[in-house]
């Protein structure tokens, strides 16, 4: 393919994307395919000879699109948003066109420096304390990780390394493997599954502590766990607080957990994957009160901030901790500089290679402007409130807990069977997509406002589908015709599978 | 930004990329900027109001491009190639336009299934044994990881989990932490730094064993290490063989290491990050003789196969091993299916979220066809041979070891100072970019053919720059004017920093 063909193919692809967004409401949000549908229709072998780009685009339309779950449809209310925007797509075109790998400053200076700058911009927009920012005088700074999963694991590995160093400095005779086996991590039972997985991957016991009735991890609970473990000879090492839990978007009180973790020398990481974006609006910053006690903070612009996956923004108070943990000191790998002002980002992350991901963050921040992004957040929250209002006008429904951010949880009155049936039926009909969670022991349905193009009419469309289905479910119930839904099936789509 | 503006902005971005590639030879391969150049010129804060896309593109041209190291320039001979192609860029546009997250089959069936299909295609193109392929009857299969670093770490974590299970099945009373502390991993001293880092991240001792005079890890060396460790009560667990080492592109003999690892119950992972692409040409498959003994195999289409980062293709013989190690079994996360035929890929990787990366692999395979990709590989190897031929016509140069794939290593005759000076001077002049390595104790310069658009004339251009600089260096040496180069500076650019 030469440059001229690329110009044609590329522009056709741009039009396909624009048309896709323009017409997304015409598609069912869930695809009507069975496992293996695509495996069955595609050839068994790669083509030997080059194919025409028009044929590729034709197959994209005819074979790929029918198998897509439309995360950016205004009828997609499952999990949390998967960020995507025109500005982000174009940022990626530019980054892919350059095709640089930014593992060190000199591997492409602009790649590293644009990341430093955009994470300073973003940290300021969120109102993070200055010590997290590269532009402060200290060793803090930000980095783009691939996912909140990876950020949680990075935090855990750094906490492990730091704790072992702290203990062996005092007791040089202690065996590192013995210390390692005693380290414990903590989070709440409302954490995303990726937090639990970080414990598994990092070989650290991860305790999922009981949250309070509002889904928040409280100080007394965490303190009790620390003390219990210390009494057993274990070593509290790492805690993950959730700002915006996956199930109900609850916020752990950092002002309680932070001072406690500081007192016990426990690294406190914040997973604000979805809700972190809201902090660009000053009116929501009270939800991160106590942030100054935290060691690392991560949220996903690739969720609610219109940046395409992968772009998980992580800040740490002390970049030296990452260097200590991740720098592979081999003779031929000596750094000219190990300062954190213009970092060699390969020491701040798990892989060596990295894409120019700051480009799409930059294009999004510029094309939207801070005010544009704040409007986007406020619009989603308003739309969620609007949905809650509609649901509350119907006395067959209970909205609980209180809507939080762009998420509204609800159920039908009565036992859980009706609510489960409602969700199962709606999923089967494929017009709207939601997933379940639990709240105070009750089965609830999560309605998340996800698409950046969602309008009031879309909320009404979804609400009407829910209401109509409720008519059927409740009428069957009254007539004794309701079947017990296949719970196993429902369980597979519940909240912990959200994108990270 | 509305759809119409996106059509304009997007098409302008396509033209910028095409123009960039068309004119890439006019740019110095290395940028003339100092650390902090971009931080200094960009605003301290994100814009409050939306900006015009034309201003963003202007800044891309005026501010970003001057700070780029042009990995896709035909004068870039450092590290290994960073894959990029028109077909790949367009694959990404389509994937970004959909913006789906493919953590499970139902999260977007086409996203998972296209990955299954393209990795079957690719595995067959490489000539991998059928048991690695999803289309076989067994539990094997392929997955796209972000990087070879991640694949090596995944292999290590799975090997750790499997070894612990194997031992505790026989001895249920043994403490898992004790077993874990005794596990040992092995690779050669020629491994990429990311392999050593995997040991660090996975808390497993990683022994870098001495390679032979040709840079290969041999059976006797590995066997001796196993036996020594077993005698000390340790447990050999994981070995990484390198097919195409970073320094000199040497190939570990799998036919020696494979049966040995099988005998000792050690998981054998193959890191073929760069050279793996060559196996699409049958004439190079003899270099992976013994592949049937391997447990996992990884190479980077995002290096030599014209796919943009990130796309690291990994196959395992037994997908159940990954499920065992990575599946976070929580009540609300029960799978409807845990078979490996249509996998829920979140259980095969570290993060929960994942992009639709199979799209760009698919567009590359179709737009090039297998023959197009083979031509690309053969062309690079021919160009490397051509460079070696040119260097050998000049009796001031030594080419050693024998060129391997697209990599030629060379030095000036005499002591190492002249070669070091040559590289340092060339790097300062920014016209071509190479990095160093060592071979049999000697300092050598690596000349890698990297850009997909490289022609014979580009090789002649680079060779002439080298020859002209050698004239200056050697004339200064004769006149006693040569300065001892700043070795520390040179060391920062050596081979182990390649992209992974």
């Amino acid at each position: 393919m030469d440059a001229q063909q690329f110009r044609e193919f590329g522009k056709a692809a741009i039009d396909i994307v624009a048309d896709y967004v323009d017409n997304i409401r015409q598609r069912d949000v869930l695809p009507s395919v069975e496992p293996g549908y695509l495996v069955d229709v595609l050839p068994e072998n790669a083509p030997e000879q080059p194919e025409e780009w028009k044929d590729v685009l034709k197959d994209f339309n005819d074979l790929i699109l029918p198998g897509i779950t439309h995360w950016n449809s205004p009828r997609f209310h499952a999990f949390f948003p998967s960020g995507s925007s025109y500005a982000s797509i174009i940022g990626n075109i530019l980054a892919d066109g350059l095709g640089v790998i930014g593992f060190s400053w000199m591997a492409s200076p602009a790649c590293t420096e644009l990341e430093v700058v955009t994470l300073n911009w973003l940290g300021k927009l969120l109102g993070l304390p200055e010590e997290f920012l590269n532009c402060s005088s200290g060793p803090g700074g930000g980095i783009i990780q691939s996912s909140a999963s990876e950020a949680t694991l990075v935090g855990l590995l750094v906490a492990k390394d730091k704790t072992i160093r702290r203990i062996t400095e005092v007791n040089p005779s202690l065996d590192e493997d013995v210390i390692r086996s005693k380290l414990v991590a903590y989070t709440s039972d409302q954490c995303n599954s990726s937090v639990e997985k970080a414990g598994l991957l990092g070989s650290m016991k991860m305790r999922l502590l009981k949250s309070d009735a509002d889904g928040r991890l409280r100080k007394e609970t965490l303190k009790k766990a620390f003390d219990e473990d210390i009494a057993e000879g274990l070593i509290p090492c790492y805690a993950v607080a959730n700002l915006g839990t996956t199930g109900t978007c609850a916020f752990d009180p950092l002002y309680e957990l932070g001072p406690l973790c500081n007192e016990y020398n426990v690294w406190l990481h914040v997973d604000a994957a979805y809700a972190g974006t809201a902090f660009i609006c000053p009116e929501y910053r009270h939800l991160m009160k106590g942030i100054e006690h935290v060691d690392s903070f991560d949220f996903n612009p690739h969720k609610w901030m219109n940046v395409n996956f992968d772009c998980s923004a992580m800040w740490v108070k002390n970049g030296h901790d990452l260097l200590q943990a991740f720098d592979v000191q081999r003779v031929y790998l000596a750094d000219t500089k190990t300062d954190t002002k213009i970092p060699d980002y390969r020491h701040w992350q798990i892989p060596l290679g990295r894409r120019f991901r700051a480009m799409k963050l930059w294009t999004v921040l510029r094309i939207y402007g801070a005010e544009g992004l704040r409007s986007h957040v406020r619009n989603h929250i308003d739309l969620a409130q609007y949905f809650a209002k509609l649901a509350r006008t119907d006395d067959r429904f209970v909205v609980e807990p209180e809507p939080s951010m762009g998420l509204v949880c609800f159920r039908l009155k009565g036992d859980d069977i009706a609510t489960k049936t409602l969700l199962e039926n709606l999923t089967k009909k494929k017009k709207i997509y939601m997933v379940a969670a639990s709240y105070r022991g009750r089965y609830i349905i999560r309605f998340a406002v996800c698409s950046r193009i969602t309008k009031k009419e879309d909320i009404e469309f979804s609400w009407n589908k829910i209401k109509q289905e409720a008519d059927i479910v409740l009428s069957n119930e009254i007539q004794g015709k309701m079947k017990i839904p296949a719970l196993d099936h429902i369980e597979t789509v519940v909240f912990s599978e959200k994108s990270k």
Side-chain angles (χ1 to χ4, degrees), chain A:
Chain A
M1 165 163 287
D2 61 24
Q4 187 48 40
Q5 284 174 311
F6 168 68
R7 291 178 206 263
E8 292 167 26
F9 186 11
K11 290 167 188 180
I14 294 289
D15 281 330
I16 281 190
V17 169
D19 293 344
Y20 171 74
V21 178
D22 280 348
N23 302 309
I24 199 165
R25 288 178 182 84
Q26 294 169 20
R27 295 175 189 276
D28 283 351
V29 65
L30 284 165
S32 296
V33 298
E34 293 299 316
Y37 93 96
L38 189 62
V39 174
D40 290 343
V41 297
L42 290 181
E44 284 182 19
N45 292 286
E48 273 297 304
Q49 299 304 324
E51 297 190 291
E52 295 297 325
W53 63 261
K54 287 184 182 170
D55 293 335
V56 176
L57 290 187
K58 185 173 185 308
D59 286 350
F60 174 81
N61 274 315
D62 297 349
L63 305 177
I64 304 295
L65 276 180
I68 292 297
T69 298
H70 302 287
W71 284 65
N72 284 286
S73 162
R75 284 93 200 249
F76 184 97
H77 305 293
F79 314 112
F80 279 131
S82 166
S84 183
S85 66
Y86 295 139
S88 171
I89 292 168
I90 289 166
N92 246 351
I93 294 171
L94 298 173
D96 276 352
L98 299 175
V100 302
I101 303 293
F103 50 73
S104 63
W105 178 82
M106 70 183 305
S108 249
C111 178
T112 293
E113 296 201 23
L114 194 64
E115 191 158 331
V116 168
V117 169
T118 50
L119 286 180
N120 280 333
W121 286 6
L122 193 51
K124 288 179 190 174
L125 284 184
L126 296 177
L128 288 183
E130 197 182 295
E131 58 194 312
F132 285 100
L133 305 184
N134 176 285
C135 53
S136 74
S137 57
I143 177 175
I144 299 175
Q145 305 282 4
S146 291
S147 60
S149 306
E150 201 164 308
T152 306
L153 180 59
V154 163
L156 182 142
L157 295 171
V158 174
K160 186 197 274 194
D161 178 74
K162 194 175 182 178
T163 305
I164 292 172
R165 277 188 288 114
R166 177 169 56 80
I167 293 174
T168 52
E169 270 166 28
V170 181
N171 285 301
S173 63
L174 281 181
D175 184 277
E176 284 194 17
D177 288 324
V178 174
I179 300 172
R180 199 172 280 127
S181 69
K182 292 178 184 228
L183 301 177
V184 187
Y186 307 83
T187 190
S188 94
D189 55 11
Q190 297 300 306
C191 76
N192 184 269
S193 66
S194 64
V195 178
E196 189 178 358
K197 194 168 176 183
L200 194 74
L201 297 169
S203 295
M204 195 183 296
K205 183 184 175 187
M206 175 74 70
R207 290 186 62 180
L208 307 189
L209 305 172
K210 195 163 164 41
S211 54
D212 71 6
D214 296 318
R216 301 182 303 162
L217 177 61
R218 304 303 297 271
K219 182 180 180 178
E220 315 81 72
T221 310
L222 187 59
K223 184 174 188 317
K224 187 160 165 279
F226 286 172
D227 291 338
E228 281 168 4
D229 286 342
I230 291 169
E232 287 193 29
L234 300 174
I235 306 165
C237 172
Y238 184 56
V240 180
N242 305 283
L243 291 188
T245 57
T246 315
T248 62
C249 201
F251 290 76
D252 291 338
L254 297 185
Y255 53 89
E256 287 187 6
L257 307 182
L260 182 74
C261 288
N262 295 168
E263 183 191 336
Y264 280 77
N265 261 322
V266 168
W267 182 290
L268 181 57
H269 174 74
V270 172
D271 179 3
Y274 161 68
T277 296
F279 302 139
I280 62 176
C281 303
E283 65 269 31
Y284 296 110
R285 284 192 200 142
H286 65 93
L287 293 166
M288 64 170 180
K289 187 182 159 196
I291 184 74
E292 66 277 11
H293 301 290
V294 158
D295 296 286
S296 51
F297 174 91
D298 182 82
F299 90 104
N300 289 343
H302 71 230
K303 280 205 168 60
W304 201 9
M305 221 187 79
N306 296 344
V307 181
N308 276 72
F309 191 91
D310 53 338
C311 181
S312 189
M314 181 187 196
W315 288 265
V316 293
K317 258 191 198 155
N318 191 343
H320 294 310
D321 291 332
L322 278 74
L323 288 176
Q324 288 271 8
F326 292 163
D327 186 359
V328 183
Q329 285 294 5
R330 296 169 77 169
V331 178
Y332 48 78
L333 208 75
D335 280 307
T336 39
K337 49 184 180 43
T338 50
D339 71 289
T340 53
K341 290 294 104 180
I342 306 292
D344 282 338
Y345 274 127
R346 67 188 159 96
H347 300 311
W348 288 53
Q349 62 172 17
I350 289 172
L352 179 53
R354 56 203 329 273
R355 286 192 302 139
F356 197 162
R357 292 176 294 200
M359 188 76 86
K360 61 187 171 188
L361 181 55
W362 184 61
T363 49
V364 165
L365 286 166
R366 294 193 61 179
I367 294 296
Y368 281 88
E371 270 306 309
L373 293 170
R374 287 187 201 112
S375 298
H376 165 67
V377 164
R378 288 170 182 147
N379 182 44
H380 270 202
I381 295 174
D382 287 348
L383 290 169
Q385 292 292 339
Y386 181 58
F387 177 83
K389 190 178 137 197
L390 292 173
R392 279 173 171 147
T393 59
D394 188 324
D395 61 9
R396 300 171 301 173
F397 287 86
V398 178
V399 173
E400 70 174 17
E402 271 304 299
S404 175
M405 300 297 163
L407 180 67
V408 186
C409 299
F410 67 94
R411 60 179 172 83
L412 286 168
K413 285 182 183 161
D415 67 23
D416 288 349
I417 302 288
T419 308
K420 285 178 178 168
T421 307
L422 175 66
L423 180 59
E424 186 176 73
N425 290 1
L426 284 165
T427 305
K428 274 185 192 156
K429 288 183 178 168
K430 304 174 190 299
K431 299 294 177 195
I432 66 172
Y433 186 26
M434 302 177 291
V435 293
S438 66
Y439 177 70
R440 297 189 181 176
R442 297 300 303 269
Y443 184 93
I444 54 175
I445 299 175
R446 294 169 76 263
F447 178 94
V449 180
C450 289
S451 169
R452 68 179 169 80
I453 61 171
T454 309
K455 295 177 186 164
K456 224 169 155 182
E457 295 73 34
D458 296 306
I459 299 297
E460 287 161 0
F461 174 92
S462 295
W463 167 245
N464 285 332
K465 292 289 171 203
I466 293 166
K467 208 169 54 167
Q468 286 158 17
E469 198 59 45
D471 292 344
I472 299 170
V473 168
L474 295 174
S475 131
N476 283 345
E477 192 179 42
I478 290 164
Q479 297 168 39
K481 285 196 295 193
M482 195 170 69
K483 283 183 280 185
I484 304 295
L487 299 189
D488 285 353
H489 175 72
I490 292 285
E491 293 299 318
T492 62
V493 295
V494 298
F495 61 83
S496 57
E497 294 198 340
K498 76 159 171 143
S499 137
K500 276 235 161 175

